[in-house]
């Protein structure tokens, strides 16, 4: 299935899918440091974040920290999977780690009440496989989506109190990074994942390294930047990770 690849068998503890993974979700949030004033346009703020990320290297960054397929593409894959599914339970669900878009398909099966007995993550890149292990550990530590977002992005959606999407994400990213989130989470993680967690937190919460990870909450929403072609106004794809 994956010549030369590495595997992570989720049927063996501690690689369990926690309660967060069973909740319906349509994407992930991100976090940042915005250097422009509130009067700046969305386009100026968006491009400023990209410029900041390009100027701040992130040594040790996994190849993928987010999914490079847009939510629209992922939703289409899930619909195709369910249409072609012959019925019955899944004995073994194999998915490459990559940007973890395979979790969308897993969620689609769960919503269709298709039981999955065993899950195996594989990747030919050892660092990417460890990234998958890190994300599963963060899910395991997080009883709610809000807590998962805070552990990874350093900001609280609950405290912010607004709906997070493409048109509002920069306001969310203007919130200051809560350093205590990184410190507290790092102490709870297995020792061999702590350094990688620091790198991923720097990429997502502090907006370091390229490409950037942005929120993605559905396939119909576009970035409110009319000068960009449609393909680049979608989150995910080409030069954005979602």
């Amino acid at each position: 299935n994956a010549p030369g690849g590495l595997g992570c068998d989720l049927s063996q503890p501690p690689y369990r899918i926690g309660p967060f993974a069973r909740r319906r979700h349509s994407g992930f949030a991100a976090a940042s440091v915005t250097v422009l004033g509130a009067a700046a346009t969305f386009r100026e703020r968006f491009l400023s974040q990209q410029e900041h990320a390009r100027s701040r290297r992130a040594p040790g960054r996994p190849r993928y920290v987010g999914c490079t397929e847009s939510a629209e593409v992922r939703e289409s894959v899930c619909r195709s999977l369910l249409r072609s599914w012959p019925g019955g339970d899944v004995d073994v669900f194999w998915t490459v780690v990559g940007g973890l878009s395979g979790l969308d398909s897993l969620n689609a099966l769960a919503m269709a009440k298709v039981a999955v007995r065993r899950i195996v993550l594989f990747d030919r890149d050892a660092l990417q496989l460890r990234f998958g292990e890190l994300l599963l550990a963060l899910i395991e530590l997080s009883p709610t989506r809000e807590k998962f977002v805070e552990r990874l992005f350093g900001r609280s959606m609950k405290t912010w109190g607004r709906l997070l999407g493409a048109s509002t994400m920069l306001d969310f990213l203007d919130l200051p990074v809560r350093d205590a989130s990184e410190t507290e989470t790092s102490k709870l993680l297995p020792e061999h994942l702590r350094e990688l967690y620091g790198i991923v937190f720097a990429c997502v919460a502090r907006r370091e390294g390229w490409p950037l990870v942005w929120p993605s909450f559905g396939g119909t929403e576009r970035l409110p930047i009319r000068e960009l072609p449609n393909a680049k106004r979608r989150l995910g794809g080409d030069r954005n990770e979602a």
Side-chain angles (χ1 to χ4, degrees), residues 6-26:
L6 301 170
C8 174
D9 185 351
L10 300 190
S11 66
Q12 302 298 320
Y15 312 118
R16 303 184 303 277
I17 293 290
F20 171 81
R22 298 194 179 121
R23 299 174 183 269
R24 182 168 184 149
H25 62 284
S26 54

Side-chain angles (χ1 to χ4, degrees), residues 4-188:
L6 301 170
C8 174
D9 185 351
L10 300 190
S11 66
Q12 302 298 320
Y15 312 118
R16 303 184 303 277
I17 293 290
F20 171 81
R22 298 194 179 121
R23 299 174 183 269
R24 182 168 184 149
H25 62 284
S26 54
F28 295 95
S32 130
V33 177
T34 301
V35 296
L36 297 179
T41 66
F42 185 98
R43 180 180 183 277
E44 290 170 335
R45 295 163 69 198
F46 182 80
L47 295 179
S48 174
Q49 290 221 6
Q50 289 191 329
E51 183 180 352
H52 172 83
R54 284 192 178 101
S55 67
R56 302 289 294 273
R57 293 187 178 276
R61 181 194 191 278
R63 180 178 178 85
Y64 300 105
V65 178
C67 180
T68 54
E69 293 91 11
S70 70
E72 190 173 19
V73 171
R74 300 199 309 273
E75 289 168 0
S76 175
V77 170
C78 291
R79 288 193 297 269
S80 176
L81 170 66
L82 294 179
R83 281 197 303 268
S84 62
W85 187 248
D89 296 341
V90 178
D91 184 27
V92 183
F93 181 90
W94 288 77
T95 176
V96 66
V97 175
L100 288 173
S101 61
L103 293 183
D104 288 79
S105 296
L106 184 63
N107 183 63
L109 291 170
M111 295 299 295
K113 301 188 183 307
V114 176
V116 178
R117 297 191 180 94
R118 182 174 169 228
I119 304 164
V120 177
L121 292 176
F122 66 90
D123 206 291
R124 64 184 301 167
D125 184 337
L127 178 59
Q128 203 65 41
L129 187 67
R130 193 147 38 97
F131 170 75
E133 184 182 355
L134 170 63
L135 265 289
L136 291 175
L138 292 177
I139 290 172
E140 191 72 30
L141 290 173
S142 306
T144 65
R145 182 191 308 184
E146 287 76 16
K147 195 61 181 178
F148 174 78
V149 168
E150 184 178 342
R151 292 192 192 285
L152 193 56
F153 309 135
R155 294 155 173 81
S156 170
M157 290 197 299
K158 185 176 181 179
T159 301
W160 186 53
R162 295 171 58 191
L163 183 64
L164 182 55
S167 60
T168 62
M169 66 179 181
L170 294 185
D171 296 333
F172 176 72
L173 303 181
D174 280 344
L175 297 175
V177 175
R178 184 174 175 268
D179 295 326
S181 295
E182 180 182 11
T183 303
E184 293 164 3
T185 301
S186 184
K187 289 179 180 178
L188 295 172

